[in-house]
Short mmCIF file of all heavy atoms in Angstrom, two decimals:
data_model
loop_
_atom_site.label_atom_id
_atom_site.label_comp_id
_atom_site.label_asym_id
_atom_site.label_seq_id
_atom_site.Cartn_x
_atom_site.Cartn_y
_atom_site.Cartn_z
N TYR A 489 102.70 314.92 -56.35
CA TYR A 489 103.86 314.18 -55.90
C TYR A 489 103.54 313.19 -54.79
O TYR A 489 104.44 312.45 -54.38
CB TYR A 489 105.01 315.17 -55.44
CG TYR A 489 104.57 316.21 -54.42
CD1 TYR A 489 104.63 315.93 -53.06
CD2 TYR A 489 104.21 317.49 -54.80
CE1 TYR A 489 104.29 316.88 -52.11
CE2 TYR A 489 103.85 318.42 -53.87
CZ TYR A 489 103.91 318.12 -52.52
OH TYR A 489 103.57 319.07 -51.58
N LYS A 596 109.08 330.57 -43.41
CA LYS A 596 109.64 329.33 -43.96
C LYS A 596 110.05 329.64 -45.39
O LYS A 596 109.28 330.29 -46.14
CB LYS A 596 108.56 328.26 -43.91
CG LYS A 596 108.93 326.98 -44.66
CD LYS A 596 108.00 325.86 -44.30
CE LYS A 596 107.71 324.97 -45.48
NZ LYS A 596 106.91 323.81 -45.08
N LYS A 598 111.44 328.21 -49.11
CA LYS A 598 111.60 327.08 -49.99
C LYS A 598 112.98 327.11 -50.61
O LYS A 598 113.49 328.16 -51.00
CB LYS A 598 110.52 327.06 -51.06
CG LYS A 598 109.10 326.78 -50.50
CD LYS A 598 108.98 325.39 -50.02
CE LYS A 598 107.48 325.06 -49.74
NZ LYS A 598 107.32 323.66 -49.28
N ASP A 623 112.70 324.54 -46.36
CA ASP A 623 112.13 323.30 -46.88
C ASP A 623 112.73 323.08 -48.27
O ASP A 623 112.49 323.88 -49.15
CB ASP A 623 110.61 323.44 -46.94
CG ASP A 623 109.93 322.16 -47.38
OD1 ASP A 623 110.61 321.16 -47.69
OD2 ASP A 623 108.66 322.09 -47.41
N ALA A 624 113.52 321.97 -48.40
CA ALA A 624 114.15 321.73 -49.69
C ALA A 624 113.29 320.84 -50.62
O ALA A 624 113.66 320.62 -51.76
CB ALA A 624 115.50 321.09 -49.45
N ASN A 625 112.19 320.36 -50.10
CA ASN A 625 111.34 319.42 -50.88
C ASN A 625 112.09 318.44 -51.66
O ASN A 625 111.87 318.21 -52.87
CB ASN A 625 110.41 320.29 -51.79
CG ASN A 625 109.30 321.00 -51.05
OD1 ASN A 625 109.33 322.22 -50.93
ND2 ASN A 625 108.31 320.24 -50.55
N GLU A 649 113.55 320.99 -43.56
CA GLU A 649 112.45 320.08 -43.87
C GLU A 649 112.84 319.37 -45.16
O GLU A 649 113.20 320.04 -46.14
CB GLU A 649 111.22 320.94 -44.03
CG GLU A 649 109.90 320.23 -43.87
CD GLU A 649 108.79 321.21 -44.13
OE1 GLU A 649 108.75 322.26 -43.55
OE2 GLU A 649 107.93 320.87 -45.00
N GLN A 650 112.68 318.07 -45.21
CA GLN A 650 112.82 317.20 -46.40
C GLN A 650 114.03 317.61 -47.30
O GLN A 650 113.83 317.94 -48.43
CB GLN A 650 111.54 317.28 -47.22
CG GLN A 650 111.41 316.15 -48.25
CD GLN A 650 111.24 314.76 -47.62
OE1 GLN A 650 110.70 314.57 -46.58
NE2 GLN A 650 111.81 313.76 -48.32
N ALA A 674 111.45 315.28 -41.73
CA ALA A 674 111.00 314.60 -42.97
C ALA A 674 109.54 314.98 -43.18
O ALA A 674 108.72 314.90 -42.27
CB ALA A 674 111.14 313.10 -42.83
N ASP A 675 109.18 315.34 -44.43
CA ASP A 675 107.80 315.65 -44.77
C ASP A 675 107.30 314.60 -45.79
O ASP A 675 106.63 313.65 -45.38
CB ASP A 675 107.75 317.08 -45.32
CG ASP A 675 106.33 317.48 -45.77
OD1 ASP A 675 105.40 316.64 -45.68
OD2 ASP A 675 106.14 318.66 -46.17
N GLU A 676 107.70 314.75 -47.06
CA GLU A 676 107.22 313.81 -48.06
C GLU A 676 107.53 312.38 -47.75
O GLU A 676 106.80 311.47 -48.16
CB GLU A 676 107.80 314.16 -49.43
CG GLU A 676 107.25 315.44 -50.08
CD GLU A 676 108.05 316.68 -49.67
OE1 GLU A 676 108.49 316.77 -48.53
OE2 GLU A 676 108.20 317.57 -50.53
N VAL A 695 106.86 316.10 -40.36
CA VAL A 695 105.88 317.07 -40.71
C VAL A 695 104.55 316.29 -40.98
O VAL A 695 104.58 315.39 -41.86
CB VAL A 695 106.29 317.88 -41.98
CG1 VAL A 695 105.22 318.91 -42.36
CG2 VAL A 695 107.57 318.51 -41.79
N LYS A 697 100.57 316.18 -42.16
CA LYS A 697 99.53 316.90 -42.95
C LYS A 697 98.33 315.99 -43.13
O LYS A 697 98.51 314.80 -43.41
CB LYS A 697 100.06 317.26 -44.32
CG LYS A 697 101.18 318.28 -44.36
CD LYS A 697 101.71 318.46 -45.76
CE LYS A 697 102.91 319.41 -45.79
NZ LYS A 697 103.67 319.32 -47.00
N LYS A 700 98.20 313.87 -46.26
CA LYS A 700 99.10 312.69 -46.32
C LYS A 700 98.62 311.57 -45.45
O LYS A 700 98.72 310.38 -45.79
CB LYS A 700 100.52 313.07 -45.85
CG LYS A 700 101.25 314.08 -46.70
CD LYS A 700 102.69 314.18 -46.26
CE LYS A 700 102.92 314.64 -44.83
NZ LYS A 700 104.32 314.62 -44.41
N MET A 722 105.96 318.93 -36.50
CA MET A 722 105.39 320.13 -37.12
C MET A 722 104.11 319.73 -37.85
O MET A 722 104.08 318.65 -38.52
CB MET A 722 106.41 320.76 -38.12
CG MET A 722 105.79 321.91 -38.92
SD MET A 722 106.96 323.17 -39.40
CE MET A 722 107.42 322.61 -40.98
N CYS A 725 100.37 321.94 -44.08
CA CYS A 725 99.18 321.83 -44.98
C CYS A 725 99.63 321.99 -46.38
O CYS A 725 100.78 322.23 -46.64
CB CYS A 725 98.15 322.89 -44.60
SG CYS A 725 98.78 324.59 -44.76
N ASP A 747 103.02 325.07 -39.60
CA ASP A 747 103.19 325.62 -40.90
C ASP A 747 101.79 325.60 -41.60
O ASP A 747 101.58 324.86 -42.52
CB ASP A 747 104.20 324.77 -41.70
CG ASP A 747 104.37 325.22 -43.12
OD1 ASP A 747 104.21 326.40 -43.43
OD2 ASP A 747 104.67 324.35 -43.97
MG1 LIG B 943 107.32 320.48 -46.73
#
Side-chain angles (χ1 to χ4, degrees):
Y489 55 85
K596 168 165 145 176
K598 292 290 191 180
D623 186 356
N625 287 108
E649 200 184 308
Q650 197 67 31
D675 179 356
E676 288 89 323
V695 182
K697 292 175 185 165
K700 295 190 299 175
M722 172 150 92
C725 59
D747 174 31

